[in-house]
Amino acid sequence: MKISVNGKMHNVAAHNVAHVLEELRFDGTMVATAVNGEFVPAVSRAEQCLAEGDRLEVLRPMQGG
Amino acid sequence: MKLYDVTLKSRLMLGTAQYPSPAILARAIEASGAEIVTASLRRESGGSGGSGGAGEGFWSLVRDMGLWVLPNTAGCHTVKEAVTTAHMARELFGTNWIKLEVIGESDTLQPDVFGLVEAARILCDDGFAVFPYMTEDLVVAERLVAAGCRVLMPWGAPIGSGRGLNNPFGLRALRAHFPDIPLVIDAGLGLPSHAAQAMELGYDAVLLNTAVARAGDPVRMARAFAQGIEAGRAAFEADPMEARDMASPSTPVVGKAFLA
């Protein structure tokens, strides 16, 4: 299944957010996630199914003003 | 000073971006005396065990310093983007504080005040403590307070411009109109004298980043801003004299010799 992760297309085997994070080797404890512009809380990642063409955003803390 | 039930000694809130190194950032924070620092969220690179790079180092540094973190929604141009970012920030940083930015114009980074009010209402209703980055417009301020904001953060000048207070008259009017709401000048300051001016107007605090981070010596500049803020606040509390257009001799005229 092809999905966009942080703006780049990835071919993933996993079908939910939690498993995609594992597959792409993100540290799930250090990030926040959103799918198609909607926030996905950490506790809901395993239930949040992904479909072809979905846009997953994985954000981490960063310096800011 | 109290912001959303948190009592603070420092009236300086410091941004964490653009410093030459994490070590200089840490020293600048210490020199400034700031208890609140701002932060943002950006894309994680992933792979190789999830290398967070500079962002990860930054976050562990800030956590170790025991500071209050104020995440922002920088770069968001729509209500939806800002609200989603705020929710992600609440989970990631473990705080309901959010510096709400809804940008309306790319050259000036002027806030979209219509979107700002709408996003503020949504987030306040959802339990966030919203710090809105706004213009000095009185009506917008009233709408934000009605939406549930208990702090207002008008700009001094466009972000990163270093121009100081572009509209002291408008900022003075805002202060007079909201005597009981904490007001923070957010953005546009370049020099400690700008911060002192904000304090002399009766503002409660200033939030700055670029002026410190891009100084030749960020640590000294951070200290200089802290001193400027302290001086300006002391001047405000000392009740400054009224300015006047014509001269008024300070030396007594009575008793002066006639020597012409």
Side-chain angles (χ1 to χ4, degrees), chain B residues 238-257:
Chain B
D239 190 13
M241 63 168 279
E242 291 287 328
R244 51 190 295 162
D245 291 332
M246 304 303 286
S248 172
S250 50
T251 302
V253 177
V254 176
K256 180 187 174 300

Side-chain angles (χ1 to χ4, degrees), chain A residues 26-41:
Chain A
F26 285 100
D27 178 354
T29 63
M30 289 290 293
V31 297
T33 53
V35 173
N36 300 332
E38 301 290 342
F39 172 53
V40 179

Side-chain angles (χ1 to χ4, degrees), chain A residues 6-7 24-27 30-34 36-42 45 57-65, chain B residues 15-16 38-44 46-50 52 55 58-59 72 80 84 87-88 91-93 99 209:
Chain A
N6 287 347
L24 298 180
R25 290 185 291 168
F26 285 100
D27 178 354
M30 289 290 293
V31 297
T33 53
N36 300 332
E38 301 290 342
F39 172 53
V40 179
R45 287 175 191 161
E57 292 286 338
V58 185
L59 306 187
R60 63 178 164 84
M62 190 68 183
Q63 298 94 325
Chain B
T16 56
T38 55
S40 67
L41 299 88
R42 287 295 179 263
R43 285 171 166 172
E44 167 65 288
S48 307
F58 147 78
W59 180 225
N72 67 30
K80 185 184 178 189
T84 300
H87 280 100
M88 296 173 86
E91 180 178 89
L92 197 53
F93 292 99
K99 178 187 166 186
N209 189 155

Side-chain angles (χ1 to χ4, degrees), chain B:
Chain B
M1 178 178 68
K2 222 171 182 183
L3 302 179
Y4 286 107
D5 298 326
V6 173
T7 302
L8 300 150
K9 291 177 186 168
S10 173
R11 295 179 181 275
L12 198 166
M13 299 154 72
L14 197 60
T16 56
Q18 306 181 80
Y19 290 81
S21 71
I24 291 176
L25 164 63
R27 288 176 54 212
I29 293 171
E30 284 174 2
S32 74
E35 296 162 281
I36 298 175
V37 294
T38 55
S40 67
L41 299 88
R42 287 295 179 263
R43 285 171 166 172
E44 167 65 288
S45 54
S48 307
S51 166
E56 194 173 291
F58 147 78
W59 180 225
S60 57
L61 180 151
V62 167
R63 271 187 310 196
D64 291 347
M65 293 181 80
L67 302 161
W68 293 93
V69 176
L70 177 59
N72 67 30
T73 62
C76 292
H77 286 252
T78 67
V79 173
K80 185 184 178 189
E81 272 186 297
V83 169
T84 300
T85 302
H87 280 100
M88 296 173 86
R90 181 160 66 177
E91 180 178 89
L92 197 53
F93 292 99
T95 177
N96 67 339
W97 283 13
I98 192 72
K99 178 187 166 186
L100 181 60
E101 296 183 33
V102 182
I103 300 300
E105 209 282 320
S106 294
D107 287 333
T108 61
L109 298 179
Q110 177 164 342
D112 167 2
V113 294
F114 306 99
L116 180 69
V117 170
E118 187 182 342
R121 187 177 299 115
I122 293 167
L123 293 171
C124 288
D125 288 349
D126 200 15
F128 282 86
V130 175
F131 295 67
Y133 163 63
M134 55 180 283
T135 60
E136 67 276 19
D137 188 295
L138 286 181
V139 179
V140 170
E142 283 179 346
R143 299 287 167 87
L144 288 167
V145 170
C149 295
R150 294 292 169 261
V151 174
L152 298 174
M153 301 211 299
W155 63 351
I159 294 171
S161 68
R163 298 182 60 83
L165 305 184
N166 267 355
N167 183 6
F169 171 80
L171 292 169
R172 188 180 293 114
L174 191 67
R175 177 72 286 177
H177 205 72
F178 294 97
D180 301 321
I181 298 277
L183 297 179
V184 181
I185 294 290
D186 177 14
L189 303 188
L191 291 166
S193 55
H194 299 153
Q197 187 188 8
M199 291 294 110
E200 289 162 9
L201 286 175
Y203 274 67
D204 294 279
V206 301
L207 197 169
L208 52 102
N209 189 155
T210 310
V212 170
R214 305 297 279 187
D217 185 338
V219 179
R220 287 186 78 176
M221 189 59 84
R223 190 174 301 116
F225 264 99
Q227 291 167 337
I229 288 165
E230 186 182 348
R233 181 66 190 182
F236 170 71
E237 291 173 353
D239 190 13
M241 63 168 279
E242 291 287 328
R244 51 190 295 162
D245 291 332
M246 304 303 286
S248 172
S250 50
T251 302
V253 177
V254 176
K256 180 187 174 300
F258 182 73
L259 303 172

Side-chain angles (χ1 to χ4, degrees), chain A:
Chain A
M1 175 176 67
K2 280 188 179 173
I3 60 168
S4 165
V5 180
N6 287 347
K8 290 182 184 172
M9 294 308 293
H10 286 261
N11 213 338
V12 296
H15 285 271
N16 67 50
V17 173
H19 288 160
V20 166
L21 293 182
E22 285 174 20
E23 187 176 332
L24 298 180
R25 290 185 291 168
F26 285 100
D27 178 354
T29 63
M30 289 290 293
V31 297
T33 53
V35 173
N36 300 332
E38 301 290 342
F39 172 53
V40 179
V43 293
S44 304
R45 287 175 191 161
E47 292 88 53
Q48 180 69 47
C49 294
L50 292 164
E52 182 86 15
D54 275 350
R55 292 177 293 110
L56 172 63
E57 292 286 338
V58 185
L59 306 187
R60 63 178 164 84
M62 190 68 183
Q63 298 94 325

